[in-house]
Structures are given as structure tokens and as C-alpha cells.
Amino acid sequence: MAVAFHIAQFLEDHFQKVASSLEGFGDGFTADVRPTEPRFGVFQANGVLPYAKKTKQNPRALAQTLLDALQLPTDHFTAEIAGPGFININLTPAFYADWLKTFKDEAALQQGASHIDEGLNVVVDYSSPNTAKQMHVGHLRSMVIGEAIQRLLRFCGANVTRDNHIGDWGTQFGILIMAIKDAGYNLDEEHPNLLEELEALYKAGTQKTKDDPAALEQARNELVKLQQGDAENMQLWEKINSLSYEAFESIYKLFNVAFDCVLGESFYRDKVDRIYKELEETKLSEESQGALVVFHPEHPRFAKQPFIIRKSDGATNYATTDLATALHRLEAFEANEMINVTDGRQQDHFEQLRLTVEKWFAAKGYKPCKLRHVWFGTILGEDGKAIKTRSGEPIKLKELVSEAVERAYKVVAEKSPELTEDEKREIAEKVGIGAVRYADLSQNRTSDYTFSWEKMLSFDGNTAPYLLYATARLHAIFRKAGLKPGEGEDAATSFETETELALARKLVLFPSVLELTLEDLRPHFLCTYLFELSGIFSSFYNADKVVTEDPGTQARRLMLCARTLNTLETGLKLLGIETLERM
RNA sequence: GGGGGUGUAGCUUAGUGGAUAGAGCAGCGGUUUUCUAAACCGAAGGUCGUGGGUUCGACUCCCACCUCCCCCA
């Protein structure tokens, strides 16, 4: 019999199948198999309890009936009834060995996971900065969480389009173009700090429009000219955008992020007429106080609170562009799912968008598409308020990264002075950026979290350095043994010690964690798992010597090390974190 | 005013209706002639914001209230 990748799923299916032909069980029964605490076993089926209650049967007797009928292969599973009617399932050392031999490397894990989201065409919209501005700490979470999510989906078999929806068509361009012209600023010259300078110009321009009504008028004129396609303003706008894109790329390179599709809001500006036409003809939109809006009568709030798709002055807005974007994604990518990764303040907007798109697509007979808003909380400073620099500006990502790398470098230089300068630099970069990234991903995305250099760069606790250290130690074992991971396992004897079994147990739970992480697109579940795995490995490492006299013992421990390393590296890769062989 | 989020140990936090609420930091006590001690082991620390309710079982679901954050007018 082939070894199941997702053991909990396999057991669930098996329980269900057996129960369906069993007296005492009927339609409402679900076995509810899930990982449990080590002291109870590997998995626990809780479903008998509520079912017995519902059908007025004795839960323990019912559990016994089910257990008798299961006929699980005893060399692989042991099961027993506990407490009021839980069924605890344990795995045998032989099963662990079989599973670990089957799912031996990243390709095998991916193969196992690939059916989870097979056939799903999903567009993930993340990062999405505005041009003419530098990326700052407010852009961190969307980029980091979005990247992790798209990697997870891809790993699990989805056909993913990574879409960076750039804010390149805002009203800020009126002021900016005015300021550029006033200052005689030449975009064709070399500007090492271009975006900083544009930001300064924009700031000065904004102030000017506040002080001087003539300037405000001028800014409006520049915007109108741009929107009408004035050659000079278009050229300025294009230049600003292309230079902004270059700056974004340098950040993406640091964070190892790339996109399949990079389109600005401007791309959709000739596509909004169709939106108006279709929403009007399907009677989803209506005029309200001069604006074109969509109400959702079935919704407690959006029955009254309008989704404004054309303002009373005729201007389009985010809603219009987002609707056009949804249509484009449906038609260009045949998307069945669209994911937007933004902060939680936009929940209303995306809920209205979702409702509108669902009704609109249905009315037009388009293929239905699931819109998901993956939102996240705020990054707080140590004072408990949204993080800022001392002067009150958001922290630039560029500066955040240099500080992270610099801080990591200091630690590396102190802890591992024997490494070459190049090695220290490389380690500092991976540890620094990995730390920032992991700090963000390891917490529930819907919570706000407190940013702390000390905590994220600490080598204790649920941090990137701790996980990276575990991978470095694993590499060291193989280096010392003169083997590659995966080699030297043939003579493996049966897992024996408590720490070996604990490690094996954790390793086979990887698929359950993938499933959990994917369900709500919450990467912190994967982080918690990797942290726990590292902890169990560290205990094992401390208790059980790998390179040892007995060939059978050494072989089986090498196998555990190779799988732990593979799981850690695969998991970290899914989070977008680069791993190390030494640190 | 309406809505959303949040509240768990001194601090930062995890927790899928399931058994005795888990971690990490800080503080306390141990472990190294042994594959990286950036580690490991142990003890201590909790009326899970408050009050009700549903349930065999509630940090988890429902209702009310309170705190802080945010969104919409």
C-alpha cells in the first residue's frame, strides 16, 4: 500500500468510509481527525462524542464499534479509546520510517502537496506601492505576507499569477509635476537619491498649494493636462514611473520577490467605461447624489453605505479601477480566485468589491470567481503606536534592511569571528532580512505586532536566527560526517529513543500544517510548526549523538537529520527566507 | 452614531468546541574532555477584560458591558 502524504486526511477518509457502512452511524457523522498533543498520540478523532450525543447513544460503545471495524494495519497504526469517547491514534516506528523514506526531499513533499490546490488559477495581488514615493515600513507586510502566500499556493499545486498593482495614477501627480517644473528639476540627470528628492518636491508643492490658491489651480491644471495626454506631462509621468519601478526592484531584489504581472492603475483607465456600462445594464448601479454607486440591500451596512464607482464630478476612483482589475484578471488569467493582500483598514472596501463582483459576474454569465481579502494589522513601535521614525516619518524599507543587516553583522562577527569577511557579510544579509521577514510572518496576520530589533534578532525563541541556526547545525553534522543529506541511511534500524520518536512524529505532521496554513492563508501556523520542529530537533541533538559507533543507530539518526533539514529548508523557502549552511 | 479588530503570565505572544491554556524574553536553578552552548534540561509564574448564556465539554460559539486601535459618516 502506498504511504499517504497527508495522514490525518487519509485517516479521516478511512473513518468516514468505514462508518458509512456501519450500524449506529449515519449522515451527520464526521470523524474529525486532527493532530493532538503528544501525550495522547499523534492524531485524535473527536467526532464520535458529538455524534453519540446527537443520536442518544453511548459514546464509548459507539467509539468501540467504530474502532473494531476500522481494521487499521497494526504494524502502522495503533488506536485506543480514551476519556469519554476520544479515539487516539498512534503511529508505529515502522510507519515513521516508511513515511520518511517516501517523502524524502523537497520534490517529494511538493509532489505530495500538489493535489491540494490542483487546477486552481489564482491571482495574488500584493506589495502594490505608489510611484514617486519610496517603499516604507507600511509596505512591508503586504510584500512579505503576499510572497509567502503565493509560494504556499504554488507549492500546493495552484497556478499562481503574482500581480503587483501599482498606484501610478493618483492625484499626487498634479502637485508633483507642478513642483518639478517650478524647481526646474531635470529627471534625465543622474539622481542617486531620486525618490527622496521627489518626495521633498512633493512635500514642498503640497505646502505651496495650501498657502497659495494660484498654486493649487496650477497643480489642478497639470493634472488635467496629464489626464488629457499632454505630451510633456506624460513624458514626466512616464519617467517618474520608470525610475520608481527601478527603486522598487532594488527592494524586491533584497527580499527575493518577483512578479509575473506588473500593471499600474493607469492600465485600467480606458477600461472603466465597460464597467459603468455593464453595471448599469445589469441594474447593479444607480445614481445617488450625482454619483454612480452600488448598494447591497441584503447587507446590514452596505444597504445604506454606497460603494461609489463614479464620483459626482465624474472622476473614477479605487472602486472603479478594482472592478476593472477583477474583470481583467478573469479574462487574462482565467482566475477562479483573486487574493488581495492589504492592511485591515480596507476591509469595507474589499467586502463591497467582493459583493459587487459576485453579482456582476453572475448577471453577465461570467465564470464565478472567489475574491479573498487577506488583511493584516499594524506594525507598532515600542510605544504601542504605529511605527514611525523620531521625526514622525515612516521608516524607509531601504533603511530598515540596512539596519537589520548591520545589526546581524555585529552578532555574526562576535559569535563567529573565524568566518571570512565574505561569509560574515552573506550570513548577516540572510539573517538580517530573514529576521525582519520572520518577525512579520510568525505572528497572526490579523493582529497588530510590536516591532523589536532585539526580539527578532535574538537567537532564542521563535525567531529566524533560531531556525537558521538549526539548519546550520544540521549541515555541520553532514559536513563532519563527510556525507550529503540523504546519504548513509540504508542501514537504518527502528526509531527507538524518546527524542527520535518525537522528531519523527513532528516531521510527519508537515502536511497537516500546510493544510492549516492554507485554509485561512495564515503563515504563522507554518512558522509555529517550524519553531517547534527546531526545538524538538535541538533536544534530539542534545540527547542523541548522530555520528556514533553503531551503524544502524547512526543511519536512522542521519535519516532524521536529513528529513528535519529538508522540512526546515522547504518551510523556510515557502516563507521566502533564505537558508544557510554555516553561521 | 454604525461597523470591524483587539484584550491570555511582569513583557512579547500561540491556541482548529475537546482532556491538566502552550511558548519565548526577563528573573531563578542546573548541563560542555562529545556532531556549532547562537544550544539543552528544570522549577516558578494564569480568576484567558467583566458579567451572563448555549454545550457532555467554552480562551474558542451567542448576548451585554468595558479597554485600546481602526474604518465609514
PDB file of all heavy atoms in Angstrom, chain A residues 274-275 277-279 281-282 284 323 326-328 330-331 335 338 356-369:
ATOM      1  N   ARG A 274     -16.462  50.267 -19.812  1.00  0.00           N
ATOM      2  CA  ARG A 274     -17.150  48.974 -19.876  1.00  0.00           C
ATOM      3  C   ARG A 274     -17.756  48.614 -18.517  1.00  0.00           C
ATOM      4  O   ARG A 274     -18.837  48.022 -18.441  1.00  0.00           O
ATOM      5  CB  ARG A 274     -16.164  47.895 -20.335  1.00  0.00           C
ATOM      6  CG  ARG A 274     -16.795  46.525 -20.403  1.00  0.00           C
ATOM      7  CD  ARG A 274     -15.876  45.505 -21.027  1.00  0.00           C
ATOM      8  NE  ARG A 274     -16.350  44.153 -20.776  1.00  0.00           N
ATOM      9  CZ  ARG A 274     -15.584  43.069 -20.872  1.00  0.00           C
ATOM     10  NH1 ARG A 274     -14.307  43.189 -21.223  1.00  0.00           N
ATOM     11  NH2 ARG A 274     -16.081  41.878 -20.622  1.00  0.00           N
ATOM     12  N   ILE A 275     -17.036  48.954 -17.463  1.00  0.00           N
ATOM     13  CA  ILE A 275     -17.535  48.665 -16.115  1.00  0.00           C
ATOM     14  C   ILE A 275     -18.848  49.423 -15.877  1.00  0.00           C
ATOM     15  O   ILE A 275     -19.848  48.833 -15.441  1.00  0.00           O
ATOM     16  CB  ILE A 275     -16.510  49.092 -15.031  1.00  0.00           C
ATOM     17  CG1 ILE A 275     -15.127  48.544 -15.318  1.00  0.00           C
ATOM     18  CG2 ILE A 275     -17.000  48.704 -13.638  1.00  0.00           C
ATOM     19  CD1 ILE A 275     -15.049  47.057 -15.441  1.00  0.00           C
ATOM     20  N   LYS A 277     -20.873  50.609 -18.043  1.00  0.00           N
ATOM     21  CA  LYS A 277     -21.900  50.105 -18.945  1.00  0.00           C
ATOM     22  C   LYS A 277     -22.507  48.806 -18.391  1.00  0.00           C
ATOM     23  O   LYS A 277     -23.727  48.665 -18.306  1.00  0.00           O
ATOM     24  CB  LYS A 277     -21.265  49.850 -20.317  1.00  0.00           C
ATOM     25  CG  LYS A 277     -22.244  49.484 -21.408  1.00  0.00           C
ATOM     26  CD  LYS A 277     -21.536  49.481 -22.768  1.00  0.00           C
ATOM     27  CE  LYS A 277     -22.200  48.528 -23.740  1.00  0.00           C
ATOM     28  NZ  LYS A 277     -21.786  47.110 -23.590  1.00  0.00           N
ATOM     29  N   GLU A 278     -21.632  47.906 -17.969  1.00  0.00           N
ATOM     30  CA  GLU A 278     -22.142  46.607 -17.522  1.00  0.00           C
ATOM     31  C   GLU A 278     -22.881  46.701 -16.188  1.00  0.00           C
ATOM     32  O   GLU A 278     -23.881  46.014 -15.980  1.00  0.00           O
ATOM     33  CB  GLU A 278     -20.988  45.588 -17.438  1.00  0.00           C
ATOM     34  CG  GLU A 278     -20.397  45.308 -18.814  1.00  0.00           C
ATOM     35  CD  GLU A 278     -19.526  44.072 -18.867  1.00  0.00           C
ATOM     36  OE1 GLU A 278     -19.399  43.369 -17.846  1.00  0.00           O
ATOM     37  OE2 GLU A 278     -18.977  43.800 -19.960  1.00  0.00           O
ATOM     38  N   LEU A 279     -22.399  47.548 -15.313  1.00  0.00           N
ATOM     39  CA  LEU A 279     -23.080  47.674 -14.022  1.00  0.00           C
ATOM     40  C   LEU A 279     -24.416  48.388 -14.187  1.00  0.00           C
ATOM     41  O   LEU A 279     -25.378  48.106 -13.461  1.00  0.00           O
ATOM     42  CB  LEU A 279     -22.198  48.398 -13.002  1.00  0.00           C
ATOM     43  CG  LEU A 279     -21.003  47.590 -12.509  1.00  0.00           C
ATOM     44  CD1 LEU A 279     -20.215  48.361 -11.472  1.00  0.00           C
ATOM     45  CD2 LEU A 279     -21.415  46.246 -11.928  1.00  0.00           C
ATOM     46  N   GLU A 281     -26.260  48.302 -17.075  1.00  0.00           N
ATOM     47  CA  GLU A 281     -27.186  47.428 -17.808  1.00  0.00           C
ATOM     48  C   GLU A 281     -27.675  46.262 -16.954  1.00  0.00           C
ATOM     49  O   GLU A 281     -28.766  45.750 -17.167  1.00  0.00           O
ATOM     50  CB  GLU A 281     -26.546  46.935 -19.121  1.00  0.00           C
ATOM     51  CG  GLU A 281     -25.734  45.672 -18.966  1.00  0.00           C
ATOM     52  CD  GLU A 281     -24.962  45.288 -20.227  1.00  0.00           C
ATOM     53  OE1 GLU A 281     -24.657  46.178 -21.051  1.00  0.00           O
ATOM     54  OE2 GLU A 281     -24.648  44.098 -20.364  1.00  0.00           O
ATOM     55  N   THR A 282     -26.863  45.830 -15.990  1.00  0.00           N
ATOM     56  CA  THR A 282     -27.315  44.759 -15.088  1.00  0.00           C
ATOM     57  C   THR A 282     -28.077  45.330 -13.896  1.00  0.00           C
ATOM     58  O   THR A 282     -28.440  44.592 -12.983  1.00  0.00           O
ATOM     59  CB  THR A 282     -26.122  43.936 -14.566  1.00  0.00           C
ATOM     60  OG1 THR A 282     -25.170  44.834 -13.983  1.00  0.00           O
ATOM     61  CG2 THR A 282     -25.454  43.160 -15.677  1.00  0.00           C
ATOM     62  N   LEU A 284     -27.134  46.946 -11.423  1.00  0.00           N
ATOM     63  CA  LEU A 284     -26.488  46.856 -10.113  1.00  0.00           C
ATOM     64  C   LEU A 284     -26.164  48.239  -9.582  1.00  0.00           C
ATOM     65  O   LEU A 284     -26.170  48.483  -8.380  1.00  0.00           O
ATOM     66  CB  LEU A 284     -25.203  46.023 -10.223  1.00  0.00           C
ATOM     67  CG  LEU A 284     -25.431  44.522 -10.359  1.00  0.00           C
ATOM     68  CD1 LEU A 284     -24.143  43.817 -10.767  1.00  0.00           C
ATOM     69  CD2 LEU A 284     -25.952  43.931  -9.054  1.00  0.00           C
ATOM     70  N   LEU A 323     -12.648  47.138  -9.899  1.00  0.00           N
ATOM     71  CA  LEU A 323     -13.618  46.358 -10.673  1.00  0.00           C
ATOM     72  C   LEU A 323     -13.041  46.009 -12.041  1.00  0.00           C
ATOM     73  O   LEU A 323     -13.148  44.864 -12.505  1.00  0.00           O
ATOM     74  CB  LEU A 323     -14.931  47.144 -10.839  1.00  0.00           C
ATOM     75  CG  LEU A 323     -15.784  47.267  -9.573  1.00  0.00           C
ATOM     76  CD1 LEU A 323     -16.851  48.343  -9.749  1.00  0.00           C
ATOM     77  CD2 LEU A 323     -16.429  45.935  -9.217  1.00  0.00           C
ATOM     78  N   ALA A 326     -10.521  43.300 -11.621  1.00  0.00           N
ATOM     79  CA  ALA A 326     -11.128  41.979 -11.426  1.00  0.00           C
ATOM     80  C   ALA A 326     -11.516  41.374 -12.780  1.00  0.00           C
ATOM     81  O   ALA A 326     -11.262  40.200 -13.050  1.00  0.00           O
ATOM     82  CB  ALA A 326     -12.347  42.084 -10.514  1.00  0.00           C
ATOM     83  N   LEU A 327     -12.095  42.186 -13.620  1.00  0.00           N
ATOM     84  CA  LEU A 327     -12.521  41.701 -14.939  1.00  0.00           C
ATOM     85  C   LEU A 327     -11.309  41.284 -15.779  1.00  0.00           C
ATOM     86  O   LEU A 327     -11.308  40.243 -16.427  1.00  0.00           O
ATOM     87  CB  LEU A 327     -13.315  42.794 -15.664  1.00  0.00           C
ATOM     88  CG  LEU A 327     -13.882  42.392 -17.026  1.00  0.00           C
ATOM     89  CD1 LEU A 327     -14.825  41.203 -16.890  1.00  0.00           C
ATOM     90  CD2 LEU A 327     -14.592  43.567 -17.683  1.00  0.00           C
ATOM     91  N   HIS A 328     -10.282  42.106 -15.720  1.00  0.00           N
ATOM     92  CA  HIS A 328      -9.068  41.797 -16.474  1.00  0.00           C
ATOM     93  C   HIS A 328      -8.452  40.476 -16.008  1.00  0.00           C
ATOM     94  O   HIS A 328      -8.004  39.659 -16.809  1.00  0.00           O
ATOM     95  CB  HIS A 328      -8.059  42.935 -16.315  1.00  0.00           C
ATOM     96  CG  HIS A 328      -6.770  42.684 -17.045  1.00  0.00           C
ATOM     97  ND1 HIS A 328      -5.614  42.318 -16.392  1.00  0.00           N
ATOM     98  CD2 HIS A 328      -6.466  42.719 -18.357  1.00  0.00           C
ATOM     99  CE1 HIS A 328      -4.645  42.153 -17.290  1.00  0.00           C
ATOM    100  NE2 HIS A 328      -5.132  42.397 -18.485  1.00  0.00           N
ATOM    101  N   LEU A 330      -9.992  38.017 -14.630  1.00  0.00           N
ATOM    102  CA  LEU A 330     -10.852  36.916 -15.072  1.00  0.00           C
ATOM    103  C   LEU A 330     -10.537  36.579 -16.527  1.00  0.00           C
ATOM    104  O   LEU A 330     -10.381  35.416 -16.894  1.00  0.00           O
ATOM    105  CB  LEU A 330     -12.321  37.314 -14.943  1.00  0.00           C
ATOM    106  CG  LEU A 330     -13.304  36.248 -15.422  1.00  0.00           C
ATOM    107  CD1 LEU A 330     -13.436  35.141 -14.392  1.00  0.00           C
ATOM    108  CD2 LEU A 330     -14.660  36.842 -15.735  1.00  0.00           C
ATOM    109  N   GLU A 331     -10.423  37.609 -17.346  1.00  0.00           N
ATOM    110  CA  GLU A 331     -10.285  37.376 -18.789  1.00  0.00           C
ATOM    111  C   GLU A 331      -8.858  37.016 -19.197  1.00  0.00           C
ATOM    112  O   GLU A 331      -8.658  36.179 -20.066  1.00  0.00           O
ATOM    113  CB  GLU A 331     -10.796  38.606 -19.549  1.00  0.00           C
ATOM    114  CG  GLU A 331     -12.302  38.785 -19.315  1.00  0.00           C
ATOM    115  CD  GLU A 331     -12.940  39.875 -20.155  1.00  0.00           C
ATOM    116  OE1 GLU A 331     -12.213  40.819 -20.544  1.00  0.00           O
ATOM    117  OE2 GLU A 331     -14.162  39.788 -20.409  1.00  0.00           O
ATOM    118  N   ALA A 335      -8.871  33.498 -13.900  1.00  0.00           N
ATOM    119  CA  ALA A 335      -8.756  33.314 -12.455  1.00  0.00           C
ATOM    120  C   ALA A 335     -10.026  32.737 -11.868  1.00  0.00           C
ATOM    121  O   ALA A 335     -11.125  33.159 -12.217  1.00  0.00           O
ATOM    122  CB  ALA A 335      -8.446  34.653 -11.793  1.00  0.00           C
ATOM    123  N   MET A 338      -9.093  35.375  -6.610  1.00  0.00           N
ATOM    124  CA  MET A 338      -8.259  36.570  -6.581  1.00  0.00           C
ATOM    125  C   MET A 338      -8.030  36.943  -5.121  1.00  0.00           C
ATOM    126  O   MET A 338      -8.972  37.021  -4.343  1.00  0.00           O
ATOM    127  CB  MET A 338      -8.959  37.738  -7.278  1.00  0.00           C
ATOM    128  CG  MET A 338      -9.374  37.440  -8.701  1.00  0.00           C
ATOM    129  SD  MET A 338     -10.195  38.868  -9.445  1.00  0.00           S
ATOM    130  CE  MET A 338     -10.947  38.069 -10.891  1.00  0.00           C
ATOM    131  N   THR A 356     -20.008  43.128  -5.058  1.00  0.00           N
ATOM    132  CA  THR A 356     -20.312  43.703  -6.366  1.00  0.00           C
ATOM    133  C   THR A 356     -19.851  42.776  -7.487  1.00  0.00           C
ATOM    134  O   THR A 356     -20.605  42.506  -8.429  1.00  0.00           O
ATOM    135  CB  THR A 356     -19.651  45.083  -6.509  1.00  0.00           C
ATOM    136  OG1 THR A 356     -20.033  45.894  -5.395  1.00  0.00           O
ATOM    137  CG2 THR A 356     -20.075  45.765  -7.804  1.00  0.00           C
ATOM    138  N   VAL A 357     -18.633  42.277  -7.353  1.00  0.00           N
ATOM    139  CA  VAL A 357     -18.090  41.413  -8.406  1.00  0.00           C
ATOM    140  C   VAL A 357     -18.907  40.129  -8.528  1.00  0.00           C
ATOM    141  O   VAL A 357     -19.235  39.691  -9.633  1.00  0.00           O
ATOM    142  CB  VAL A 357     -16.598  41.098  -8.140  1.00  0.00           C
ATOM    143  CG1 VAL A 357     -16.109  39.966  -9.035  1.00  0.00           C
ATOM    144  CG2 VAL A 357     -15.746  42.340  -8.348  1.00  0.00           C
ATOM    145  N   GLU A 358     -19.279  39.548  -7.402  1.00  0.00           N
ATOM    146  CA  GLU A 358     -20.059  38.317  -7.441  1.00  0.00           C
ATOM    147  C   GLU A 358     -21.362  38.512  -8.216  1.00  0.00           C
ATOM    148  O   GLU A 358     -21.706  37.709  -9.088  1.00  0.00           O
ATOM    149  CB  GLU A 358     -20.388  37.851  -6.018  1.00  0.00           C
ATOM    150  CG  GLU A 358     -19.269  37.040  -5.384  1.00  0.00           C
ATOM    151  CD  GLU A 358     -19.521  36.734  -3.910  1.00  0.00           C
ATOM    152  OE1 GLU A 358     -20.632  37.041  -3.412  1.00  0.00           O
ATOM    153  OE2 GLU A 358     -18.595  36.199  -3.268  1.00  0.00           O
ATOM    154  N   LYS A 359     -22.069  39.584  -7.896  1.00  0.00           N
ATOM    155  CA  LYS A 359     -23.363  39.827  -8.551  1.00  0.00           C
ATOM    156  C   LYS A 359     -23.182  40.184 -10.018  1.00  0.00           C
ATOM    157  O   LYS A 359     -23.941  39.741 -10.878  1.00  0.00           O
ATOM    158  CB  LYS A 359     -24.082  40.972  -7.826  1.00  0.00           C
ATOM    159  CG  LYS A 359     -24.555  40.601  -6.451  1.00  0.00           C
ATOM    160  CD  LYS A 359     -25.183  41.791  -5.768  1.00  0.00           C
ATOM    161  CE  LYS A 359     -25.414  41.502  -4.300  1.00  0.00           C
ATOM    162  NZ  LYS A 359     -25.877  42.703  -3.592  1.00  0.00           N
ATOM    163  N   TRP A 360     -22.180  40.990 -10.273  1.00  0.00           N
ATOM    164  CA  TRP A 360     -21.916  41.444 -11.649  1.00  0.00           C
ATOM    165  C   TRP A 360     -21.533  40.253 -12.535  1.00  0.00           C
ATOM    166  O   TRP A 360     -22.086  40.066 -13.619  1.00  0.00           O
ATOM    167  CB  TRP A 360     -20.826  42.513 -11.576  1.00  0.00           C
ATOM    168  CG  TRP A 360     -20.129  42.884 -12.844  1.00  0.00           C
ATOM    169  CD1 TRP A 360     -20.668  42.984 -14.093  1.00  0.00           C
ATOM    170  CD2 TRP A 360     -18.754  43.248 -12.979  1.00  0.00           C
ATOM    171  NE1 TRP A 360     -19.722  43.391 -14.993  1.00  0.00           N
ATOM    172  CE2 TRP A 360     -18.531  43.563 -14.336  1.00  0.00           C
ATOM    173  CE3 TRP A 360     -17.686  43.350 -12.077  1.00  0.00           C
ATOM    174  CZ2 TRP A 360     -17.281  43.952 -14.813  1.00  0.00           C
ATOM    175  CZ3 TRP A 360     -16.452  43.754 -12.550  1.00  0.00           C
ATOM    176  CH2 TRP A 360     -16.247  44.047 -13.897  1.00  0.00           C
ATOM    177  N   PHE A 361     -20.602  39.429 -12.075  1.00  0.00           N
ATOM    178  CA  PHE A 361     -20.175  38.276 -12.866  1.00  0.00           C
ATOM    179  C   PHE A 361     -21.346  37.324 -13.100  1.00  0.00           C
ATOM    180  O   PHE A 361     -21.517  36.774 -14.189  1.00  0.00           O
ATOM    181  CB  PHE A 361     -19.019  37.536 -12.170  1.00  0.00           C
ATOM    182  CG  PHE A 361     -17.668  38.202 -12.329  1.00  0.00           C
ATOM    183  CD1 PHE A 361     -17.571  39.512 -12.794  1.00  0.00           C
ATOM    184  CD2 PHE A 361     -16.494  37.528 -12.034  1.00  0.00           C
ATOM    185  CE1 PHE A 361     -16.331  40.136 -12.944  1.00  0.00           C
ATOM    186  CE2 PHE A 361     -15.241  38.128 -12.181  1.00  0.00           C
ATOM    187  CZ  PHE A 361     -15.170  39.439 -12.628  1.00  0.00           C
ATOM    188  N   ALA A 362     -22.140  37.139 -12.052  1.00  0.00           N
ATOM    189  CA  ALA A 362     -23.292  36.242 -12.192  1.00  0.00           C
ATOM    190  C   ALA A 362     -24.290  36.798 -13.207  1.00  0.00           C
ATOM    191  O   ALA A 362     -24.795  36.065 -14.065  1.00  0.00           O
ATOM    192  CB  ALA A 362     -23.970  36.041 -10.841  1.00  0.00           C
ATOM    193  N   ALA A 363     -24.533  38.100 -13.118  1.00  0.00           N
ATOM    194  CA  ALA A 363     -25.519  38.728 -14.012  1.00  0.00           C
ATOM    195  C   ALA A 363     -25.071  38.667 -15.469  1.00  0.00           C
ATOM    196  O   ALA A 363     -25.890  38.547 -16.384  1.00  0.00           O
ATOM    197  CB  ALA A 363     -25.751  40.181 -13.597  1.00  0.00           C
ATOM    198  N   LYS A 364     -23.764  38.762 -15.686  1.00  0.00           N
ATOM    199  CA  LYS A 364     -23.242  38.736 -17.047  1.00  0.00           C
ATOM    200  C   LYS A 364     -22.948  37.311 -17.525  1.00  0.00           C
ATOM    201  O   LYS A 364     -22.494  37.111 -18.653  1.00  0.00           O
ATOM    202  CB  LYS A 364     -21.945  39.560 -17.144  1.00  0.00           C
ATOM    203  CG  LYS A 364     -22.137  41.057 -16.971  1.00  0.00           C
ATOM    204  CD  LYS A 364     -22.931  41.686 -18.114  1.00  0.00           C
ATOM    205  CE  LYS A 364     -22.158  41.636 -19.438  1.00  0.00           C
ATOM    206  NZ  LYS A 364     -22.943  42.254 -20.532  1.00  0.00           N
ATOM    207  N   GLY A 365     -23.119  36.350 -16.628  1.00  0.00           N
ATOM    208  CA  GLY A 365     -22.821  34.971 -17.001  1.00  0.00           C
ATOM    209  C   GLY A 365     -21.338  34.671 -17.092  1.00  0.00           C
ATOM    210  O   GLY A 365     -20.923  33.713 -17.743  1.00  0.00           O
ATOM    211  N   TYR A 366     -20.528  35.490 -16.452  1.00  0.00           N
ATOM    212  CA  TYR A 366     -19.095  35.208 -16.407  1.00  0.00           C
ATOM    213  C   TYR A 366     -18.847  34.066 -15.434  1.00  0.00           C
ATOM    214  O   TYR A 366     -19.633  33.831 -14.522  1.00  0.00           O
ATOM    215  CB  TYR A 366     -18.286  36.433 -15.943  1.00  0.00           C
ATOM    216  CG  TYR A 366     -18.396  37.640 -16.845  1.00  0.00           C
ATOM    217  CD1 TYR A 366     -18.302  38.923 -16.305  1.00  0.00           C
ATOM    218  CD2 TYR A 366     -18.574  37.513 -18.213  1.00  0.00           C
ATOM    219  CE1 TYR A 366     -18.384  40.049 -17.105  1.00  0.00           C
ATOM    220  CE2 TYR A 366     -18.661  38.632 -19.026  1.00  0.00           C
ATOM    221  CZ  TYR A 366     -18.573  39.899 -18.469  1.00  0.00           C
ATOM    222  OH  TYR A 366     -18.656  40.997 -19.263  1.00  0.00           O
ATOM    223  N   LYS A 367     -17.704  33.418 -15.597  1.00  0.00           N
ATOM    224  CA  LYS A 367     -17.328  32.355 -14.672  1.00  0.00           C
ATOM    225  C   LYS A 367     -17.185  32.944 -13.273  1.00  0.00           C
ATOM    226  O   LYS A 367     -16.559  33.990 -13.104  1.00  0.00           O
ATOM    227  CB  LYS A 367     -15.989  31.753 -15.119  1.00  0.00           C
ATOM    228  CG  LYS A 367     -15.894  30.268 -14.939  1.00  0.00           C
ATOM    229  CD  LYS A 367     -14.669  29.711 -15.641  1.00  0.00           C
ATOM    230  CE  LYS A 367     -13.395  30.291 -15.069  1.00  0.00           C
ATOM    231  NZ  LYS A 367     -12.178  29.685 -15.604  1.00  0.00           N
ATOM    232  N   PRO A 368     -17.766  32.304 -12.268  1.00  0.00           N
ATOM    233  CA  PRO A 368     -17.650  32.864 -10.923  1.00  0.00           C
ATOM    234  C   PRO A 368     -16.201  32.855 -10.419  1.00  0.00           C
ATOM    235  O   PRO A 368     -15.414  31.995 -10.811  1.00  0.00           O
ATOM    236  CB  PRO A 368     -18.522  31.950 -10.071  1.00  0.00           C
ATOM    237  CG  PRO A 368     -18.710  30.713 -10.858  1.00  0.00           C
ATOM    238  CD  PRO A 368     -18.540  31.053 -12.291  1.00  0.00           C
ATOM    239  N   CYS A 369     -15.907  33.808  -9.600  1.00  0.00           N
ATOM    240  CA  CYS A 369     -14.545  33.949  -9.108  1.00  0.00           C
ATOM    241  C   CYS A 369     -14.602  34.337  -7.641  1.00  0.00           C
ATOM    242  O   CYS A 369     -15.390  35.185  -7.240  1.00  0.00           O
ATOM    243  CB  CYS A 369     -13.835  35.030  -9.912  1.00  0.00           C
ATOM    244  SG  CYS A 369     -12.133  35.227  -9.450  1.00  0.00           S
TER     245      CYS A 369
END
